[in-house]
Amino acid sequence: MIILSISFFVTAILYASVGFGGGSTYLALLLILGVPYYIFPIIALVCNIFVVSGSSFNYIKAGNLNLKLLLPYLIGSIPLAFIGGSLPIEKNLFEIFLFLVLAFAGIINFRSYNDEDKTYKNIPIFISIPIGGILGFVSGVVGIGGGIFLSPILFLIKAGKPQHIVTVASLFILINSISGVAG
């Protein structure tokens, strides 16, 4: 248990330094160390809440909150993170789903971001709400905050300035984690 505690502490510090919660790494650590799978989501989501709260506060305090960018994703994600968090799931299915989610997160995060072009796109609400919903559902089922997906998506589609995207991702993680725990 001491190894798990130290690993979680190091994970929290590293992820907090970039405004993320670390849910994906907590899940991987829990799986590797043989913790019962049915408590994975609650542990990872609670850790996310603690880790990302400070980042979210600091980003908002710095004036980086872009509600126009954040709200459509939250409208879709909050109810579906709650539903996803309330679903019972068998161990084999959970492990397969977790593997797919973590593999996809790893692949999508390898994309590079070029901020030389300062033009940003407004994403239509009929696209951003379903994206938020899908990410919220996956977040609730698996036990991650969803920022690991939302951030690269927003960067790839050039949805805003980097500081706004990081703030949106941080708040998305916080609010989805709360909704997932409530579920």
Side-chain angles (χ1 to χ4, degrees), residues 35-56:
V35 174
Y37 84 98
Y38 52 86
I39 61 171
F40 282 19
I42 193 77
I43 291 172
L45 292 171
V46 168
C47 288
N48 274 352
I49 292 167
F50 283 110
V51 173
V52 84
S53 292
S55 300
S56 296

Side-chain angles (χ1 to χ4, degrees), residues 112-120 155 158-163 165:
S112 63
Y113 178 74
N114 181 357
D115 196 35
E116 292 174 10
D117 180 12
K118 301 289 185 191
T119 58
Y120 304 107
F155 276 114
K158 304 217 30 107
K161 295 178 180 178
Q163 63 268 31
I165 291 174

Side-chain angles (χ1 to χ4, degrees), residues 1-180:
M1 221 33 162
I2 192 79
I3 292 171
L4 186 61
S5 299
I6 292 169
S7 299
F8 268 43
F9 181 72
V10 170
T11 298
I13 289 171
L14 292 173
Y15 276 86
S17 70
V18 294
F20 279 23
S24 57
T25 302
Y26 303 134
L27 292 170
L29 290 167
L30 292 167
L31 183 65
I32 290 167
L33 295 173
V35 174
Y37 84 98
Y38 52 86
I39 61 171
F40 282 19
I42 193 77
I43 291 172
L45 292 171
V46 168
C47 288
N48 274 352
I49 292 167
F50 283 110
V51 173
V52 84
S53 292
S55 300
S56 296
F57 176 77
N58 288 333
Y59 289 146
I60 292 169
K61 187 177 171 186
N64 294 326
L65 178 59
N66 182 340
L67 280 175
K68 185 178 176 187
L69 180 59
L70 174 64
L71 286 179
Y73 296 100
L74 286 180
I75 289 168
S77 73
I78 291 172
L80 288 171
F82 180 87
I83 291 168
S86 66
L87 292 178
I89 188 167
E90 293 181 23
K91 183 179 183 192
N92 292 337
L93 184 58
F94 179 83
E95 288 176 352
I96 291 168
F97 194 56
L98 177 60
F99 170 77
L100 293 173
V101 166
L102 294 179
F104 180 72
I107 291 167
I108 195 169
N109 280 299
F110 273 115
R111 305 289 289 185
S112 63
Y113 178 74
N114 181 357
D115 196 35
E116 292 174 10
D117 180 12
K118 301 289 185 191
T119 58
Y120 304 107
K121 298 176 181 131
N122 288 327
I123 308 308
I125 197 163
F126 66 88
I127 293 174
S128 54
I129 289 177
I131 289 172
I134 292 166
L135 298 181
F137 182 75
V138 169
S139 299
V141 169
V142 177
I144 59 174
I148 195 168
F149 300 116
L150 183 62
S151 180
I153 289 170
L154 295 178
F155 276 114
L156 288 173
I157 60 179
K158 304 217 30 107
K161 295 178 180 178
Q163 63 268 31
H164 293 157
I165 291 174
V166 172
T167 304
V168 163
S170 186
L171 285 165
F172 189 81
I173 293 165
L174 176 63
I175 294 167
N176 271 338
S177 295
I178 292 168
S179 184

